[in-house]
Amino acid sequence: MTSLFRRSPAAGSALSCGQIRLLCPPSTAAVRYGYSPRRPRIELRLAKPPCAAKYGGAWARSGLEEEGEKAGPRLCAVEEFAPESGRKSVNRSAEVIIAAAVTVVMGVGNRVLYKLALVPLKNYPFFLAQLATVGYVIVYFSILSIRYRMGIVTDEMLSMPKTPFIVVGLLEALGAATGMAAGAMLSGASIPILSQAFLVWQILLSFIFLGRRYKLNQLLGCFLVAIGVILTVASGSGAGHSLKEAGIFWSLLMIVSFLFQAADTVLKEIIFLNATRKLKGGSLDMFVVNSFGSAFQALFICLLLPFLSKLWGIPFSQLSNYLKDGAACFLNVGTLSRGCDGAPLLPLLFIVVNMGFNISLLHLIKISSAVVSCLASTFSVPIAIYVFTLPLPYLGVGPSLPAGFVAGAAILIMGLLIYAWTPSSASSSTSITAST
């Protein structure tokens, strides 16, 4: 290997003491240019800098002083960091793709199992909702306790301010209340169409509160995803007519419901970002967010019980009897268990998968963004529609696919690809020149 070795008198002035840089005094700094078939590198020969007396503690603790006295000038290599940075970027992209795929699968299972869970509990959907809410609190705090004992969750994480978690619980409770109220008046086909407001709200809120700027291809991709879902769901379903029948108020109330839900996901993203700064680069465990958020959601749901029970047509004075009958059907015992075939297995499967879906969704928010999590959740809609056309236990043979299913699914996939596409930028190279 041929190499050229020369001293650089300018190096000492550029790399001065008192800064977080290489300490290269003019009399000892040298730059070696060399070529290696394995890896290109730039080598700097360093001796103990003259300012080591001033900063002797750090120099001595690092072990450089003793080695410098024994071995003379120290050889320090400055490698090319681009390949390592590229590998980290690829690994992170792969992690996001895997997490998004898991979210899609869990989202499909969540939709399908909710339909199956309502087969035995068709007369007790409100009981199922409250059972899931209580189950979240018990399971999440149990997992949080285990992770705390294992040392994964620290005291510093648990001492995070609770005000954001209170707001998360309030937003989730308000989203559930307004969604139930509007859902009782809207048809099943119109709700997925209105749910595309969720993506619009997320883009708008992340723009306002996170200062996030979206490229043209990302906005176009989100628009195509929304159009694809509308075509997939609404083709041949008469959703437009049902929206007119329901009236503008209930449609607007459902859109407001998705505003609360979008604000909830964006706030969770803000919580993770703020925690990274407060934990000095550490990452907040997502079960801290899930546990406290679910606890405050359950609290606000309890406060809204009179209102929510009325929405389901249950007088508040009869709510205790309703919950008791729902528990008997869920356990599939007693005289009220007639027509509750599939319980408690199907409702329990739904609750478990729903928890997994919420965990995967929060994990995706943590490693990417709220918009990406929304796109992954949206992608599960046409897949769930296709699954419902298959013969399923307790449901039998489902309806045929809507007329525009293939076209809508194709547009949706195209939108996802356009959103994920990133224009390739010219690779930049770094060069170091020395004066002769």
Side-chain angles (χ1 to χ4, degrees):
M1 179 184 74
T2 59
S3 64
L4 176 64
F5 182 87
R6 54 185 171 183
R7 296 189 179 278
S8 174
S13 58
L15 305 176
S16 58
C17 300
Q19 303 181 28
I20 307 175
R21 300 196 238 177
L22 290 175
L23 304 177
C24 306
S27 60
T28 58
V31 182
R32 171 175 292 178
Y33 300 86
Y35 171 78
S36 170
R38 291 180 296 123
R39 181 184 298 176
R41 58 193 288 158
I42 303 169
E43 295 180 349
L44 301 178
R45 289 190 178 274
L46 306 178
K48 179 178 177 180
C51 58
K54 182 179 179 181
Y55 303 101
W59 184 267
R61 283 193 301 271
S62 65
L64 296 179
E65 181 178 20
E66 182 179 355
E67 290 185 15
E69 292 175 353
K70 293 181 180 179
R74 180 176 176 80
L75 182 62
C76 179
V78 181
E79 303 283 353
E80 288 191 357
F81 294 99
E84 182 180 354
S85 176
R87 284 193 297 270
K88 289 182 179 179
S89 177
V90 171
N91 292 339
R92 183 170 182 81
S93 299
E95 182 183 4
V96 172
I97 292 173
I98 293 173
V102 172
T103 302
V104 170
V105 173
M106 299 299 286
V108 173
N110 182 62
R111 293 176 182 273
V112 173
L113 285 172
Y114 178 70
K115 187 77 171 179
L116 290 173
L118 288 179
V119 172
L121 296 178
K122 56 182 176 294
N123 296 322
Y124 306 100
F126 185 69
F127 168 81
L128 179 61
Q130 305 318 307
L131 178 65
T133 301
V134 174
Y136 296 156
V137 177
I138 296 174
V139 173
Y140 287 153
F141 270 100
S142 299
I143 296 176
L144 181 65
S145 176
I146 294 173
R147 294 173 74 85
Y148 177 75
R149 293 176 183 176
M150 295 174 61
I152 300 174
V153 176
T154 63
D155 292 328
E156 193 175 7
M157 293 181 186
L158 296 177
S159 63
M160 295 286 294
K162 300 301 184 292
T163 302
F165 300 131
I166 296 175
V167 179
V168 165
L170 178 61
L171 289 173
E172 291 179 349
L174 290 176
T178 54
M180 285 181 184
M185 304 301 297
L186 295 170
S187 68
S190 60
I191 293 176
I193 297 176
L194 295 173
S195 69
Q196 301 316 301
F198 183 58
L199 180 59
V200 177
W201 285 126
Q202 280 194 329
I203 293 175
L204 183 62
L205 292 175
S206 62
F207 176 84
I208 295 174
F209 294 103
L210 292 173
R212 187 162 292 146
R213 302 296 180 263
Y214 294 94
K215 299 178 182 178
L216 181 61
N217 66 294
Q218 293 175 318
L219 296 176
L220 177 61
C222 291
F223 174 76
L224 290 177
V225 167
I227 294 298
V229 172
I230 292 174
L231 287 177
T232 300
V233 176
S235 56
S237 64
H241 180 67
S242 62
L243 281 173
K244 292 180 181 178
E245 287 183 346
I248 189 65
F249 173 76
W250 298 109
S251 299
L252 290 177
L253 186 61
M254 180 60 76
I255 292 175
V256 171
S257 169
F258 289 116
L259 169 61
F260 291 132
Q261 298 176 41
D264 167 51
T265 57
V266 172
L267 178 57
K268 288 177 180 176
E269 186 176 354
I270 294 174
I271 290 174
F272 283 121
L273 293 174
N274 291 341
T276 301
R277 291 191 290 268
K278 292 181 179 178
L279 298 176
K280 299 178 181 180
S283 177
L284 179 65
D285 190 85
M286 62 182 178
F287 282 99
V288 175
V289 180
N290 263 345
S291 300
F292 287 102
S294 298
F296 288 114
Q297 179 194 8
L299 174 62
F300 287 113
I301 287 291
C302 289
L303 296 177
L304 293 172
L305 269 182
F307 171 72
L308 295 175
S309 63
K310 185 177 181 180
L311 290 176
W312 287 97
I314 307 167
F316 187 69
S317 60
Q318 301 178 13
L319 181 60
S320 59
N321 292 331
Y322 170 86
L323 295 176
K324 181 180 177 181
D325 296 342
C329 183
F330 168 73
L331 297 174
N332 203 359
V333 295
T335 57
L336 295 175
S337 63
R338 192 178 309 168
C340 299
D341 296 336
L345 177 61
L346 294 179
L348 284 177
L349 282 176
F350 161 70
I351 293 174
V352 170
V353 173
N354 183 256
M355 288 183 185
F357 173 63
N358 290 328
I359 292 172
S360 63
L361 204 61
L362 187 60
H363 176 66
L364 190 57
I365 293 174
K366 180 179 179 179
I367 65 174
S368 59
S369 68
V371 173
V372 172
S373 68
C374 177
L375 292 174
S377 177
T378 302
F379 187 63
S380 66
V381 174
I383 300 178
I385 293 176
Y386 173 76
V387 172
F388 280 127
T389 64
L390 304 176
L392 297 173
Y394 299 98
L395 293 179
V397 179
S400 58
L401 287 174
F405 177 84
V406 175
I411 293 175
L412 189 150
I413 295 174
M414 184 184 302
L416 290 175
L417 293 176
I418 291 176
Y419 181 90
W421 174 71
T422 303
S424 59
S425 57
S427 59
S428 59
S429 59
T430 303
S431 61
I432 299 178
T433 59
S435 59
T436 55

